[in-house]
């Protein structure tokens, strides 16, 4: 398959795959559209940069929340370029991870190469869905091909059956991480997540160690089960929740083994987390809008273009309940969580 | 279709359908099994009675959480008899609602007649799923047939696409409630619930009023969105959460329009609510077990027989976090929520 | 779990499971309903007996085509009794196989015991479907439990992903047949069937021999791929096609290794086979009606009650095209296929 | 959304949409890949031209059979250019229709504009699938947007629930054709097709006439139900069956109202039709290969790369059975069907 783009210099953040930079908080970025559904690249630039300024450790673009399934390849290219440029002068490494899942493995490879060539630091890949479920061997092969097409490029294995309808056993996930050193992070979103994390940790410590000993596990699903995932041993969050500051505070407590403190923060903001992870991208984009990250929360057709009024109103009220007297359009000060 | 049982006297709680008794808190009961998977009828009797003693307003048996899909009709009969007997001397009316959903409409009618004849006060019915989605007309007709088979018996319309894979528009739900007076309650579990409740209320107040003006809306889904559903106008809860006392306190505040208080209770117990509603019946049964309601949390094959150890441990810890120093095996005292 | 029925003497057709009687043609019976949807037991008696008189080698009742998913357990009981009685004086052994698939394994066991106790000769069981696909181990265990509950009772393993949404690998099917001697027949309906039969035969002859060396493979899916299945080594048909005489002639030729003759018969009647296997039970029941097997082709709600007029007309015309001048209400004479 | 390509002159085959050119036989083209999965554009050029030489009336590329779901946009572009060039000197108008279905409406518009700008004569569009089924209004709007983005460009509405999981009522299909004049053809693949065609014809002749009176209905599904679809009033075939000559002969007879002759041809080749339409693209590509249209039948990962040996062998044998002594690598002579 021909390359989608001319190769440009990759701004590599890690010179080898032996250390995973997937630790901490990686927001999954929504893609802002103008009301006519065209890309709002200025808004996207601003939103990505906000995450860096708010203390996130990197971000993931063009994922499910980013409405990647409703984009042309040319639009993917524009978004990657914009995100890479947005953090070029962030003053610290800020890895851009790009969702490159596709129904075809060769296309995933091509999209991953495009991301790499445009300066992305990693790609996120879900197992592809076939009318008859693929064998375990086929899914292992899929990740091997992505790695072979982009040697050394870190891969986030996203295990999210709710959107992929692909149900992988913990053993299969461990096998992929065992055979493909490029897999340096598991975005674990198969229910029930605490039990799955425990099962994966068990396999990693016994029969199926990771090829890359630095492979991490990050919590997704809007952080809904974050409090319980942390206890099982996660290295942070990769999810669309619009307040990385909260997740950062939770994760800092968890990494310091202060789980009671982590649970206290979790409980405090759980109503907002619960509300925000309701199905439909519109609620999440509305929260982005309320944070001032994007101008319009418009979602592309055929999805409903915006959150229902009842949801928008309830979200605004919950925001006030969660952050009384706080200006949420600015990065939240650390003392808020002390 | 022949009756499944000889008719016996129905202990009617309402002499007409003009008043819905579906207000307050109606736990959805798990079905206790012994480790050999046989019914634990003594345990079921005890659990149902506990709910009455804990202040619930009724309960629903043989639903999804009750593993009704893994039962013979004879077992359904035993469970209904046991539940009706358990509350016969409760000292107040305590309606037993019975899940009678079935892939065939005639079978739903037959199961509903059996429930009625055994003393149940109401039935809960989901729209039945066909390989090609049924037309709206077909689903309206389905509820009409249930009502025609059991005239005057209150019907709870359960709208739970996650388990039924039947997606009904708010307009269709309103149409059914408009054409079938026996529908006196909507168990609303289609996402996003706050928007769906608002849409239904709007239809009820304009073009499609309910045939039964007392028709209520109850929150399900383990109360996950309970805080936000209340604001849109619900009359209570019908869900499997093992602490009806908490839901009762939330609902009391909400009915008194004290939403800040309702939200405070919601937030306080939300970690437990979130944990408990994870997919799989096993976690919920384990919580039942920890409350002392049932002896064994065994789930029937082909489901995993019990909650994974990591989940059981996390649940126990959360329980201690939510109820420090409280004996949860007894009905919780009201002062706990003051 | 308590037995559903009092045990009565089982009319055992095989004193051991070492010989499979699943060779030849086993029609899957539709269940006739009266226009009010009640069971037409007289019609069912007549239809079952017709199959015996037409030369079938047994039949299967209460399967998908029999609308088993729309029945109460009591109705299943009536149908089994009727079928067993219908062939009691057939003058030769005519095994009645009963579909006992259920979402719960214990219920499958209970339904299987009921079938056995009422005189059925075998049961047909599909793997049960869970929201998260069951592991291979769980499905093997399921069949083991059915066998343990009914020792020695032959089991037909029905592999029909189109209705079950359970996708089993050939290796899993072979493993079940390897570990459960009661599995004496595979009703193979996973696409593409010729390749699956070849894969299964390969496994049986090498790494995973059947526990019961007499285990057979029968073609289903309305015989749509019958011509090609035969070549891969099948022992006959178990399907709802209303003309067992045609399948008998095809199978006789195939067993005699006269595949050209088998293909000629296949080609001759293929338009009818294609038409009849269109989704929806109604077309099949209409064909039953045209053969005079049942009085009404009524299908239970929520399915459409009868075949669309365009289909009924086209079916009638095809019948005349396939059988010019033949009275199809009588068993077809063998010379028709010579 | 920015155009994907610079606009070039469109080789318009019809100066208005008032006449549908979708009459006759339109093969759906497979996409040939080399064993390394790269596009075989030479092979594609040859295969498209073969269809023109064999008497087809046009062809459709980049559809489901063409593995469009496993392609990058750049590959789509190459294929369209190749197909348009292949028929530039065919000596007669030979419309190239391009599949442009996409999960996002805006992307469907962009892909359709690209197809138009590259010289395609029409586009084929399926309704897009959302996690919660879209309302009828949303799907009508989707087609309106495609038409608005490409005014005057004929649209084939493909109704194929088996691949889209979108179930449209006949009324919805008729409504789209009623409101969007660009819809000049329905590729009708919703089961049961004869009844659906009858229902659509009925709506067209009564309450919901087409905006474009020339709108046609073509049979798909590998022509499986072709014999019965013709009787209900179709104008031809748009499907992947590798022998357009057969479909042409059938359609010629049907258009002349000689249905007995049409049925005779249908019956004669039905075993081949049945075999070829088995799920999986591999069998169809193998048949392409046996016809000499492509060099390799390789299918892209994660699909199995080729047809199982048992299928390949059976296909070869059936080909010999269907065409004794005929060289199928050349267009079949008309006398073969006389």
């Amino acid at each position: 398959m021909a390359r989608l783009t001319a190769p440009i210099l990759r701004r590599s953040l890690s010179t080898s795959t032996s250390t995973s930079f997937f630790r901490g908080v990686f927001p999954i970025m929504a893609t802002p559209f103008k009301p006519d559904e065209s890309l709002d690249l200025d808004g996207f630039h601003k939103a990505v940069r906000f995450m860096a300024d708010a203390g996130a450790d990197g971000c993931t673009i063009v994922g499910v929340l980013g409405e990647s399934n409703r984009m042309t390849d040319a639009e993917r290219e524009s978004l990657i370029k914009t995100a890479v440029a947005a953090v070029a002068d962030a003053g610290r490494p800020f890895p851009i991870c790009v969702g490159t899942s596709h129904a075809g493995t060769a296309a995933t490879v091509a999209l991953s190469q495009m991301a790499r060539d445009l300066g992305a630091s990693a790609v996120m890949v879900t197992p592809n869905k076939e009318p008859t479920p693929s064998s375990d061997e086929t899914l292992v092969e899929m990740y091997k091909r992505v790695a072979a097409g982009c040697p050394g490029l870190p891969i986030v294995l996203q295990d999210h059956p709710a959107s992929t309808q692909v149900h992988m056993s913990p053993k299969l996930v461990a096998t992929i991480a065992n055979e493909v050193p490029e897999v340096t992070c598991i975005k674990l979103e198969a229910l029930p997540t605490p039990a799955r994390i425990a099962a994966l940790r068990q396999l990693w410590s016994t029969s199926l160690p990771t090829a890359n000993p630095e492979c991490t596990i990050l919590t997704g699903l809007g952080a809904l089960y974050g409090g319980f995932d942390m206890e099982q041993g996660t290295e942070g969050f990769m999810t669309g929740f619009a307040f990385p500051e909260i997740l950062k505070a939770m994760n800092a407590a968890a990494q310091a083994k202060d789980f009671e403190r982590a649970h206290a923060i979790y409980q405090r903001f759980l109503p907002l987390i619960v509300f925000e992870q309701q199905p439909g991208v519109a609620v999440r984009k509305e929260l982005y809008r309320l944070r001032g990250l994007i101008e319009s929360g418009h979602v592309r057709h055929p999805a409903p273009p915006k959150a229902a009024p009842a949801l928008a109103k309830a979200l605004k009220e919950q925001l006030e309940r969660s952050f009384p007297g706080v200006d949420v359009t600015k990065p939240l000060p650390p003392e808020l969580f002390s």
Side-chain angles (χ1 to χ4, degrees), chain A:
Chain A
M1 184 183 290
R3 284 223 168 143
L4 282 172
T5 60
I8 66 165
L9 201 62
R10 177 173 159 233
R11 296 189 194 85
S12 182
L13 289 159
S14 61
T15 51
S16 84
T17 57
S18 68
T19 302
S20 175
F21 46 72
F22 289 113
R23 296 170 182 278
V25 178
F26 288 72
I28 302 276
M29 304 300 297
T31 303
F33 299 114
K34 296 177 189 164
D36 70 354
E37 294 205 3
S38 63
L39 293 177
D40 173 9
L41 291 176
D42 288 346
F44 190 59
H45 186 286
K46 185 176 156 192
V48 169
R49 184 55 187 259
F50 181 95
M51 293 305 174
D53 295 341
D57 298 287
C59 70
T60 299
I61 66 172
V62 200
V64 173
L65 174 60
E67 297 173 68
S68 62
N69 65 325
R70 301 190 187 114
M71 275 175 202
T72 64
D73 294 345
E75 291 176 324
R76 291 169 181 262
E77 186 176 340
S78 298
L79 289 164
I80 298 168
K81 283 180 181 169
T82 301
V84 168
V87 297
D89 62 346
R92 61 175 168 119
F94 191 83
I96 302 292
C97 176
V98 179
T100 58
S101 303
H102 197 286
T105 302
T108 296
V109 171
L111 292 174
S112 298
Q113 290 172 335
M114 175 173 80
R116 177 196 62 186
D117 295 346
L118 293 171
S121 302
V123 290
M124 179 172 73
V125 179
T126 56
N128 35 33
K129 161 86 175 153
E130 287 287 285
T132 300
S134 295
S135 69
D136 285 6
E137 291 71 27
T138 298
L139 293 178
V140 172
E141 170 70 11
M142 194 201 94
Y143 283 91
K144 282 186 177 171
R145 291 190 183 199
V146 177
C150 302
L153 186 71
I155 299 170
V156 177
L157 185 167
Q158 182 182 17
D159 183 16
H160 187 220
S163 68
T164 62
Q165 280 123 51
V166 177
H167 297 270
M168 299 192 286
S169 66
K171 191 179 165 192
L172 173 56
V173 174
T175 300
I176 295 170
N178 177 265
E179 300 199 11
V180 187
E182 276 81 358
V183 172
T184 58
C185 177
I186 311 296
K187 179 161 149 63
L188 199 150
E189 309 185 282
L191 302 175
T193 50
R196 302 274 298 196
I197 296 167
L200 198 51
R201 290 279 176 215
Q202 174 69 12
L203 286 161
W204 283 0
S205 68
T206 54
S207 56
L208 281 167
T210 52
N212 188 320
E214 298 295 317
C215 187
T216 60
I217 301 176
L218 298 182
T219 283
L221 295 174
L224 183 61
Y225 303 106
F228 306 103
D229 287 356
M230 294 182 307
E231 299 171 351
Q232 303 299 334
T234 53
E235 280 85 4
F237 295 88
M238 183 179 283
T239 193
F241 186 53
F243 290 88
E245 303 97 321
I246 295 173
L247 304 181
K248 203 173 152 78
M250 274 175 70
N251 189 51
Q255 298 308 322
K257 304 289 177 203
D258 185 353
F259 289 115
E260 286 316 301
R261 177 166 159 66
H263 266 285
I265 302 170
Y266 176 60
Q267 178 178 28
R268 176 171 163 199
F269 294 103
L270 197 46
L272 187 61
I273 287 172
V274 163
F275 193 91
E276 191 260 9
Q277 60 80 52
Q278 288 180 98
V281 171
V283 166
R284 296 187 166 194
K285 294 187 94 163
E286 176 63 14
L287 189 51
Y288 261 58
R289 201 187 64 79
L290 291 172
R291 280 215 84 174
L293 297 182
I294 58 181
E295 270 190 57
S296 164
H298 202 92
V299 180
R300 275 194 172 169
H301 198 269
K306 53 176 60 185
L311 293 180
K313 181 166 177 287
L315 176 61
K316 194 155 179 297
E317 290 170 359
Q318 182 57 45
L319 207 52
E320 286 160 10
R321 217 178 275 124
S322 295
F323 296 104
V326 177
D327 177 3
V328 296
T329 66
K330 298 200 169 55
L332 304 179
E335 57 268 25
L336 201 63
F337 309 103
S338 63

